[in-house]
Amino acid sequence: QSISFPTYPNAVWGGRIRIKPGDSWYAQAGSYLVFQDFRNQDHYGVEFSAPSGSGALILGEFGYLVGKYKGKDGLPGRYKIGGYYDTERLTDLSSGADVRGTWGIYLMGEQMFFTEDEKYDQGLSGFLALSYAPPDLNSIMFMAAGGLSYKGLIPNRDNDALALVSAYGKYSSRITQSYELLLELNYRVHLAPWIFIQPNVQGIINPGGDSTIDDALEIGFALGFNI
C-alpha cells in the first residue's frame, strides 16, 4: 500500500501556509487529515470525525522561479524540492504488522528551452519529477517522470501542442512486482478557443510490475473544454 495522498477532486480537512519573500523563491507547509479510504463517498462534506487509523500528512516545500514565472523577462522555469511525513496507520509490507509513520521526498522541475514569441507562449518546454519513499511501507519506492512538449510546432496552429512523456515506477523490494514503464505520445488539437481533442498513443512495459503480463499498446483520445 501507499500513503493516502489527497488530490483533486477528493479533498480532506487541512490547512496550508505559504510565504514568498521575493520574486525568485517561496516556501510552503501544510498538514492534512488522511486515512486509507478517504475517497469513499461517505467521508466528505460535513464529515468531521477522524476515522480509526487516520493520521496527519505533513508536507514542506521550497520553490525557485526563473524568467517569466518570477515576473521578469526570460524563459520561464519552476523548480521545487519537498518532503512529507505521514502518521496514519499503515501495514508493514514485510511483517504485516500495523505501524505508524512513513516519509518521502521529491524533486520537480519544469523549464522552457526555446520560445517563438515574446510572450513565452509558444516553443519547447520540458519537465522532470523524481520521488522516493522507503520500501517497508510503500508499494512504490521510486518514481521518475519526464517529458518534452512543443506548443505551436505546426505553422498557423499556434495553440496546438505535441508532447512526449514517460513515467517509471520501481516497486518496493518487499513485494513481488518489479517495475512499470509508461511511454506516451500525444497531440492536442484546438478546434476552437474553448474546446480541444488530444489523441494519444501509449506503450506500457511490464504492466503492474508483473513480468508474466504482456506489454500493452493503447490508442485513445481526450476531449477537453476551456471555460
Side-chain angles (χ1 to χ4, degrees):
Q1 66 185 41
S2 298
I3 68 168
S4 307
F5 210 104
T7 55
Y8 177 86
N10 304 108
V12 295
W13 292 103
R16 182 187 67 149
I17 184 171
R18 175 185 170 109
I19 60 172
K20 193 173 183 291
D23 295 332
S24 298
W25 70 277
Y26 68 88
Q28 60 183 1
S31 182
Y32 305 89
L33 173 69
V34 290
F35 47 96
Q36 284 296 304
D37 63 342
F38 78 93
R39 291 181 175 85
N40 188 316
Q41 63 180 0
D42 293 332
H43 302 293
Y44 70 97
V46 292
E47 172 63 63
F48 291 99
S49 65
S52 176
S54 62
L57 176 65
I58 303 165
L59 304 100
E61 179 182 285
F62 293 93
Y64 182 73
L65 310 174
V66 299
K68 182 183 178 181
Y69 282 158
K70 68 175 183 178
K72 298 183 178 180
D73 288 337
L75 296 172
R78 182 184 291 114
Y79 303 88
K80 56 183 73 173
I81 184 172
Y84 60 84
Y85 186 79
D86 181 13
T87 68
E88 70 179 304
R89 187 171 64 218
L90 301 170
T91 301
D92 188 291
L93 296 176
S94 296
S95 66
D98 288 342
V99 296
R100 287 185 179 271
T102 189
W103 56 273
I105 55 175
Y106 61 88
L107 179 67
M108 304 174 67
E110 55 179 304
Q111 178 67 53
M112 191 174 203
F113 303 118
F114 167 76
T115 184
E116 294 185 4
D117 61 349
E118 296 180 353
K119 296 180 179 180
Y120 305 100
D121 184 54
Q122 300 175 46
L124 178 66
S125 300
F127 79 95
L128 177 67
L130 305 171
S131 66
Y132 173 81
D136 54 344
L137 297 175
N138 298 275
S139 57
I140 296 180
M141 60 180 289
F142 173 75
M143 282 202 68
L148 296 170
S149 66
Y150 200 113
K151 185 177 180 182
L153 179 64
I154 298 176
N156 301 318
R157 300 295 305 175
D158 295 344
N159 292 319
D160 293 356
L162 174 69
L164 174 64
V165 297
S166 64
Y168 169 86
K170 171 64 175 175
Y171 285 85
S172 167
S173 56
R174 308 293 193 270
I175 58 180
T176 58
Q177 291 102 315
S178 54
Y179 74 93
E180 182 173 346
L181 175 64
L182 168 70
L183 302 172
E184 178 179 328
L185 179 67
N186 63 64
Y187 189 78
R188 176 175 293 192
V189 182
H190 279 262
L191 304 177
W194 55 275
I195 185 173
F196 67 85
I197 60 172
Q198 184 172 296
N200 67 80
V201 178
Q202 291 185 353
I204 304 172
I205 301 172
N206 217 34
D210 189 345
S211 59
T212 65
I213 300 176
D214 292 338
D215 297 340
L217 178 67
E218 178 181 316
I219 300 174
F221 79 96
L223 175 66
F225 301 90
N226 298 317
I227 300 176

